[in-house]
Amino acid sequence: MASSMAAAAAAACATATALSPSTATVQRPYAQGRLVFPAAPSRSHSLRLRAAGRRSPRATKVVVAALADPLKVMISGAPASGKGTQCELIKTKFGLVHISAGDLLRAEIAAGSENGKQAKEFMEKGQLVPDEIVVNMVKERLLQPDAQENGWLLDGYPRSYSQAMALETLEIRPDIFILLDVPDELLVERVVGRRLDPVTGKIYHLKYSPPENEEIASRLTHRFDDTEEKVKLRLQTYYQNIESLLSTYEDIIVKVQGDRTVGDVFAEIEKLLGSSLDKKTEMVSSA
């Protein structure tokens, strides 16, 4: 099992490199489990964005909206920002189709599609997959019936100005762009303390979610790039990429503080998406 997990990790790293818009690698933390981190008061990196109001969590109820133009969402967050957890909650609550460019790329290559074959050629040469190939994959996925009928959640894409402009040219634009903002110190702490159990695939954290016993602790592994130095490099690249997107999405991008509990973060996101749905409903009613 350890060897198969190592192969999967290598494939994930290769995909992240292929999608990255710069020479430094922007990696999305991958895990078979999710960690819940406590809130943290400190902040170190601030983007010039407005923050949304807070709301208390409430019981989950799936939102179903029969709209001519369903909800369209983009979400971005640094490594270990909790983006994956929030995507799962959004998908469950609002019924949106969750779309990740990295997942699409791997699926296209596995299926042997024309896009996948072209992407594989570049990846085998150690080159970045050109934006037009990835954008075409994203476009085709967004045009599928489930995304058209239920709305979509585009996860971690676009990553650069050129990718954003390519989507704009195709008239692919979200109703809202959610940006999870977490202090650098907390992001580094989350990543550096992360450990993997190669037997069960469960993710632990030495501080926030330690192993249950010494037997498990003795077999935990540490990703080679989950070091403070490498995390800071990934964060630097991430911030450069996000800054390049601000001019394109400045009217719809909203910063959500991600250094709180999962429930508090999602309550805020739920409020934002609910407001967007209300506006769409009003537009349909008045048409």
Side-chain angles (χ1 to χ4, degrees), residues 41-270:
S42 63
R43 309 204 60 76
S44 63
H45 187 95
S46 177
L47 294 172
R48 298 178 296 278
L49 303 171
R50 60 191 178 90
R54 298 183 61 181
R55 186 173 74 163
S56 300
R58 66 182 183 186
T60 300
K61 180 179 179 182
V62 176
V63 175
V64 178
L67 298 173
D69 184 25
L71 191 61
K72 300 182 288 290
V73 181
M74 287 181 179
I75 186 170
S76 183
S81 63
K83 177 167 63 67
T85 298
Q86 294 302 322
C87 282
E88 289 298 317
L89 294 172
I90 293 169
K91 180 177 68 173
T92 300
K93 173 71 178 183
F94 293 91
L96 303 181
V97 176
H98 181 205
I99 300 171
S100 162
D103 291 343
L104 281 180
L105 183 58
R106 286 186 287 272
E108 294 278 350
I109 292 174
S113 68
E114 187 58 35
N115 284 328
K117 291 177 181 177
Q118 293 181 39
K120 187 176 181 180
E121 291 180 3
F122 286 96
M123 294 176 68
E124 288 179 341
K125 297 175 183 177
Q127 299 174 351
L128 299 179
V129 178
D131 285 347
E132 56 266 27
I133 294 178
V134 182
V135 169
N136 193 47
M137 290 182 185
V138 172
K139 179 193 72 172
E140 291 179 0
R141 182 65 186 91
L142 293 177
L143 290 177
Q144 291 183 17
D146 59 344
Q148 290 289 299
E149 295 171 7
N150 302 315
W152 45 262
L153 171 63
L154 191 52
D155 177 0
Y157 194 86
R159 291 182 173 180
S160 68
Y161 178 77
S162 61
Q163 293 169 355
M165 292 311 297
L167 294 179
E168 289 284 299
T169 300
L170 295 170
E171 298 185 350
I172 297 174
R173 187 173 177 81
D175 301 303
I176 184 171
F177 190 122
I178 296 172
L179 178 61
L180 293 176
D181 189 32
V182 180
D184 287 0
E185 294 87 350
L186 183 55
L187 292 171
V188 171
E189 182 182 52
R190 286 179 177 181
V191 174
V192 172
R194 190 165 53 191
R195 297 293 187 274
L196 169 69
D197 183 346
V199 175
T200 65
K202 183 177 180 180
I203 299 295
Y204 292 92
H205 191 279
L206 298 181
K207 178 179 179 180
Y208 301 119
S209 181
E212 294 86 350
N213 54 57
E214 287 299 324
E215 179 184 355
I216 296 176
S218 66
R219 68 181 184 232
L220 296 183
T221 61
H222 189 206
R223 257 184 67 172
F224 74 93
D225 56 348
D226 278 354
T227 64
E228 182 172 351
E229 180 182 4
K230 291 184 181 297
V231 171
K232 288 182 176 180
L233 288 175
R234 285 151 61 188
L235 288 176
Q236 182 179 1
T237 301
Y238 167 77
Y239 289 128
Q240 290 172 349
N241 295 338
I242 284 298
E243 290 288 351
S244 72
L245 298 177
L246 296 184
S247 61
T248 305
Y249 299 112
E250 60 183 352
D251 58 329
I252 56 173
I253 194 167
V254 182
K255 180 174 65 175
V256 174
Q257 305 300 343
D259 55 352
R260 296 167 291 163
T261 65
V262 170
D264 284 346
V265 174
F266 181 63
E268 187 171 337
I269 292 175
E270 183 184 0

